[in-house]
Amino acid sequence: MKHNIYLYILVAAAVSCLIRVLPLTLIRRKIKNPFLRSFLYYVPYVTLAVMTFPAIITAPQIPLAGILALAVGIIAAWKGVNMVGIAALCCIVVFICEAIVG
């Protein structure tokens, strides 16, 4: 069975385009339902969290290092540290935890 990579790319592009264009063409007026508006407001944040949090915990060699880095990152974000600082801080926490345990 021969696979045509160009067909796969075309189908993926069409599906991706439909997902983005269909809501714009079907919903032309402002959404007034407060529940739906709230739901749509939080979708990007939830999607990012669902993709990111498992990777934070499973990426390091020791899951505890990932959990500690996550806790430190949350505290640093709460204190107003910028994203680069949070990323650097979390990397340092993982490095130290793995150096101590490993």
Side-chain angles (χ1 to χ4, degrees), residues 68-85:
L68 287 174
L70 177 62
V72 168
I74 290 171
I75 292 168
W78 193 273
K79 297 287 185 180
V81 179
N82 64 12
M83 289 295 288
V84 174

Side-chain angles (χ1 to χ4, degrees), residues 23-42:
L24 294 174
T25 57
L26 295 178
I27 304 171
R28 294 193 180 258
R29 56 188 149 88
K30 186 174 181 178
I31 298 172
K32 295 180 181 174
N33 185 332
F35 175 77
L36 188 58
R37 286 175 58 93
S38 175
F39 174 77
L40 292 174
Y41 177 80
Y42 288 109

Side-chain angles (χ1 to χ4, degrees), residues 1-79:
M1 181 175 183
K2 186 179 176 190
H3 300 283
N4 187 351
I5 189 77
Y6 298 111
L7 178 64
Y8 295 151
I9 293 171
L10 182 66
V11 170
V15 169
S16 180
C17 184
L18 280 175
I19 290 172
R20 288 170 173 79
V21 171
L22 220 53
L24 294 174
T25 57
L26 295 178
I27 304 171
R28 294 193 180 258
R29 56 188 149 88
K30 186 174 181 178
I31 298 172
K32 295 180 181 174
N33 185 332
F35 175 77
L36 188 58
R37 286 175 58 93
S38 175
F39 174 77
L40 292 174
Y41 177 80
Y42 288 109
V43 165
Y45 301 110
V46 171
T47 305
L48 181 63
V50 167
M51 292 185 317
T52 305
F53 290 146
I56 290 171
I57 295 171
T58 59
Q61 303 254 337
I62 304 163
L64 180 62
I67 294 168
L68 287 174
L70 177 62
V72 168
I74 290 171
I75 292 168
W78 193 273
K79 297 287 185 180

